[in-house]
Amino acid sequence: MEKVSADSFAELRPPARILLGPGPSNVHPRVMKAMLSPVLGHLDPDFVGVMEEIKKLLRIVFRTKNAITFPVSGTGSAGMEAALANLVEDGDEIVVGVAGAFGARIVDAAERQGARVHKVEAEWGRIIEPDRIAEALKAAKKPKLVAVVHAETSTGVHQPLEEISRLAHRAGALMVADAVTSLGCVPVEIDKWEIDACYSCTQKGIGAPPGLAPVTFSERAMDAVHKRKSKCRSWYLDLAMIEHYWGPERLYHHTAPITMNYALYEALRIVVEEGLEARWKRHRANAAALQAGLAAMGLEMAAEEGHRLPQLAAVLVPKGINDARVRDRLLKLFNMEVGAGLGPFKGKVWRIGLMGEGSRRENVMLVLNALEDILGAMGMEIARGRALAAADQAYVSLGLGAGEPRD
Ligand SMILES: *Cc1c(COP(=O)(O)O)cnc(C)c1O
């Protein structure tokens, strides 16, 4: 074989971007530093200690006492698959709320596990009404579970969960929630809302790189896992085996991604240091300022009023403006990533994320300034500085006067 010189492959030099899309979000330097720690064996007593601390921290962040609370090895979608592969058996009837790309993803993943899915659809930009879930639960003979997305990242909708959870339990079904974009940004109350299975990710509200999917399962959910008639169809995600690795037996199942667990540990430490309430408040304040600024520019939101996520604004692309050109300029002129629309929203919305570390006043001001500049240059009538003034005013009315970088 011809000898290839390593010189023909350039050293990695990715630019440091301002990540204001639907995730990943920017990572705190403390988290990057934690990732430089020595790699240990996945059964090393020191690493086992880190695992125990991660479980404790995740219980704080998920607001739960659930014993089975740990990070699945894989991104948010692996958490979704873990919930469905373990709770669904061939032929089980389930109810899934679909009002965006991630509700549709649950349907796809559940059907692959043999589920018979009763879809409860709502228009993109609207919430799933609990009444419609109640109807679907009635139509199903023996519904095994209800699954709903808490923060629908494709539309910017904040879906209330508590009422749906109550309906699910009344029908004898388990409640499953996708909290991939909500954990660390808005309240996720596993025990209070009686959520039986919930999955999230590391790269959105938590502030670590992508690679792990924090999950939590109630006793009721674990009962269902232990009483399965058939083996879980996924070997890798079989909770009945993984629980013995993350539990006191420490039975080898697969090699935990050591470095990613260090990252998650440090990111969760930062979350707990800030405090959940303070963190939610910070996300709300920056969202209020961003939305005030966008409104001042005449831009409209895709999500219905009263159900908008603070951590993700889905903004309608104004008539006559090319979505991709704006994002291209944001990237090239401002070094800033903003997300594109998915599915029916392709070319129709921008998705501006203010998640985790990214939810900062300076990012609100940067993205508003950039949009004023780019949209103005594209011929939209934009009064320069109005959006920033509106955002500033929003901070002032929240008692966060100008010049204070965070609350
Ligand atoms: C991002 C996202 C996912 C998928 O997570 P990955 O980490 O990309 O696998 C699932 N659900 C929602 C609501 C998301 O926003």
Side-chain angles (χ1 to χ4, degrees):
M1 248 172 56
E2 201 185 327
K3 196 159 180 289
V4 179
S5 157
D7 295 343
S8 54
F9 300 97
E11 186 188 344
L12 273 183
R13 278 204 200 129
R17 303 251 198 241
I18 304 162
L19 299 178
L20 301 183
S25 58
N26 285 118
V27 176
H28 196 291
R30 265 173 59 188
V31 174
M32 297 310 295
K33 182 165 165 262
M35 295 179 80
L36 294 174
S37 309
V39 172
L40 294 173
H42 54 282
L43 293 171
D44 187 291
D46 196 277
F47 182 67
V48 164
V50 175
M51 292 167 80
E52 285 306 296
E53 296 300 287
I54 288 175
K55 289 196 290 183
K56 280 188 214 155
L57 286 161
L58 280 178
R59 287 189 197 108
I60 296 172
V61 174
F62 272 125
R63 311 263 261 195
T64 186
K65 295 197 173 66
N66 287 342
I68 304 298
T69 303
F70 70 97
V72 164
S73 305
T75 65
S77 305
M80 170 188 71
E81 204 129 66
L84 297 169
N86 282 282
L87 296 176
V88 171
E89 290 191 72
D90 225 5
D92 279 350
E93 284 186 275
I94 71 168
V95 173
V96 181
V98 183
F102 295 101
R105 186 175 290 190
I106 295 177
V107 173
D108 187 5
E111 283 177 348
R112 289 166 197 244
Q113 300 298 333
R116 283 160 42 211
V117 180
H118 295 256
K119 273 194 260 180
V120 176
E121 288 174 290
E123 201 185 318
W124 281 46
R126 308 201 75 90
I127 61 161
I128 314 276
E129 295 293 344
D131 290 355
R132 305 271 325 284
I133 297 279
E135 285 165 24
L137 281 166
K138 256 186 218 137
K141 269 196 213 73
K142 235 181 107 193
K144 180 76 170 280
L145 61 87
V146 175
V148 175
V149 179
H150 187 211
E152 184 43 90
T153 323
S154 58
T155 64
V157 166
H158 192 175
Q159 171 72 46
L161 297 179
E162 209 170 358
E163 172 74 6
I164 292 176
S165 177
R166 216 167 46 76
L167 293 167
H169 293 135
R170 203 190 286 161
L174 297 165
M175 177 69 189
V176 178
D178 173 328
V180 177
T181 302
S182 48
L183 197 69
C185 301
V186 293
V188 175
E189 299 278 1
I190 296 302
D191 286 0
K192 192 166 147 216
W193 300 342
E194 297 186 49
I195 311 286
D196 294 298
C198 185
Y199 54 92
S200 189
C201 73
T202 45
Q203 79 272 18
K204 298 186 188 185
I206 298 297
L212 294 176
V215 297
T216 185
F217 289 80
S218 71
E219 271 180 39
R220 199 164 16 195
M222 289 311 293
D223 252 10
V225 171
H226 295 138
K227 285 188 184 138
R228 287 178 65 100
K229 291 186 220 76
S230 56
K231 267 192 188 177
C232 174
R233 280 194 189 166
S234 168
W235 182 90
Y236 193 67
L237 299 172
D238 186 348
L239 278 179
M241 294 198 283
I242 299 174
E243 68 174 325
H244 299 304
Y245 171 50
W246 278 87
E249 306 88 334
R250 304 291 164 196
L251 277 179
Y252 164 68
H253 176 258
H254 67 276
T255 311
I258 306 297
T259 306
M260 272 311 303
N261 276 282
Y262 294 157
L264 176 60
Y265 173 75
E266 189 61 18
L268 291 171
R269 230 161 62 87
I270 293 171
V271 172
V272 170
E273 243 173 57
E274 180 177 16
L276 284 172
E277 276 86 1
R279 200 173 174 91
W280 301 332
K281 193 172 157 205
R282 170 163 64 83
H283 280 81
R284 282 198 306 273
N286 290 321
L290 175 70
Q291 289 175 26
L294 294 170
M297 255 187 278
L299 297 176
E300 285 170 37
M301 310 288 279
E304 63 175 306
E305 176 119 48
H307 294 289
R308 289 178 186 154
L309 290 167
Q311 67 274 39
L312 188 103
V315 185
L316 296 176
V317 176
K319 268 210 180 68
I321 296 292
N322 181 308
D323 140 61
R325 265 183 66 205
V326 173
R327 283 184 294 104
D328 185 60
R329 290 196 181 177
L330 282 169
L331 197 70
K332 292 198 179 125
L333 301 178
F334 294 89
N335 197 31
M336 183 184 289
E337 179 182 86
V338 157
L342 298 175
F345 276 0
K346 189 172 178 333
K348 300 207 172 108
V349 306
W350 294 305
R351 294 184 298 151
I352 305 176
L354 293 171
M355 300 173 175
E357 271 310 300
S359 175
R360 309 172 76 98
R361 187 187 197 120
E362 63 263 35
N363 285 344
V364 171
M365 294 313 195
L366 282 170
V367 71
L368 288 174
N369 178 58
L371 283 173
E372 275 193 346
D373 183 63
I374 294 167
L375 295 176
M378 286 181 172
M380 263 181 77
E381 250 181 67
I382 301 265
R384 280 308 300 257
R386 259 188 67 190
L388 279 89
D392 245 334
Q393 192 48 50
Y395 284 117
V396 170
S397 66
L398 288 167
L400 306 166
E404 291 162 29
R406 279 200 192 185
D407 62 5

